[in-house]
Amino acid sequence: MAVESIVNGRDLGGLPVRGGGRTRQGILLRSDAPYLGDADPVHIAWPPATVVDLRDGTEAAKLAASWGTGVRVVNNPVFSGARLDRLVEVSLVDLYDRMLNTSAERIAGALNSFDPDGSTLVHCAAGKDRTGVVVAIALMLADVEPEAIVADYLRTGEAIEHIYARMSDRRRLPAAIGVDHPVFGTPSEAIELVIDRVGGSAGGA
């Protein structure tokens, strides 16, 4: 059996910036959770200089990836005691709104932890929700076109079945949650809420 690797990992270089130009390669990476024993991904520069892990410590348990001594790991949970079974009845639009309302300091802490010189990997469990919010704001700070931010968010939908399989195999999911549950969706209106709330003139950051 082949050794697994992350399934929702990508380099956020090459995205269009307002006024012309594109984001640089090898600066900001995003992914689902790397697990102990995973092979290094071959499609992005690895390892990152800094890893910003947005999960609560209890989520990683004994499955957390082992990083080399040259990698700086920042544990910056967006939620404390994050449990999927507590979130399944909340729409993703409401969840993202809640993140912005209650976890603003933690989101800012994640952004302030980015590597000043090398690459930064941002990840949570699926690399979709907490990662999606933090990455969207980072891309806004880089003046990336809003349409490109939404398009990058939607790319995670292509990897959902593989994300689900990795989490299920490691018993990271409640038994009642299937791959077709809304919690595994990538609704554009959820990330558009973030763009509007953070960048909007009324009540924005």
Side-chain angles (χ1 to χ4, degrees):
M1 181 178 177
V3 177
E4 291 187 43
S5 182
I6 56 173
V7 293
N8 190 30
R10 54 189 177 271
D11 189 321
L12 295 167
L15 299 180
V17 177
R18 289 175 175 174
R22 292 185 178 273
T23 53
R24 290 173 53 194
Q25 297 283 341
I27 299 298
L28 180 58
L29 316 174
R30 66 180 294 172
S31 78
D32 53 312
Y35 292 118
L36 187 66
D38 277 353
D40 292 348
V42 297
H43 58 293
I44 51 179
W46 205 260
T50 292
V51 176
V52 180
D53 187 344
L54 305 177
R55 299 174 298 173
D56 182 90
T58 58
E59 292 180 80
K62 298 178 181 180
L63 300 175
S66 178
W67 298 98
T69 54
V71 178
R72 180 174 68 108
V73 178
V74 178
N75 295 303
N76 191 99
V78 172
F79 292 129
S80 294
R83 284 178 48 183
L84 200 56
D85 58 344
R86 294 174 178 171
L87 302 175
V88 293
E89 301 304 324
V90 179
S91 75
L92 291 182
V93 173
D94 289 341
L95 176 62
Y96 290 17
D97 186 58
R98 181 185 300 179
M99 271 193 265
L100 295 174
N101 288 333
T102 64
S103 300
E105 291 185 5
R106 298 184 184 206
I107 293 170
L111 295 165
N112 286 332
S113 299
F114 283 19
D115 199 283
D117 302 308
S119 62
T120 298
L121 170 69
V122 180
H123 80 83
C124 51
K128 179 173 75 72
D129 303 316
R130 290 165 289 188
T131 298
V133 170
V134 170
V135 163
I137 297 173
L139 295 178
M140 292 177 69
L141 290 169
D143 220 14
V144 171
E145 295 280 3
E147 296 81 3
I149 298 174
V150 174
D152 173 71
Y153 172 78
L154 294 177
R155 284 186 62 186
T156 291
E158 303 168 9
I160 287 299
E161 290 187 6
H162 301 294
I163 295 168
Y164 178 85
R166 276 169 61 82
M167 294 179 70
S168 181
D169 288 347
R170 291 163 179 79
R171 299 181 181 179
R172 302 288 92 185
L173 297 171
I177 296 180
V179 68
D180 57 348
H181 193 283
V183 76
F184 277 105
T186 52
S188 59
E189 57 266 28
I191 207 67
E192 287 167 351
L193 168 80
V194 176
I195 295 171
D196 291 342
R197 283 281 309 278
V198 174
S201 57

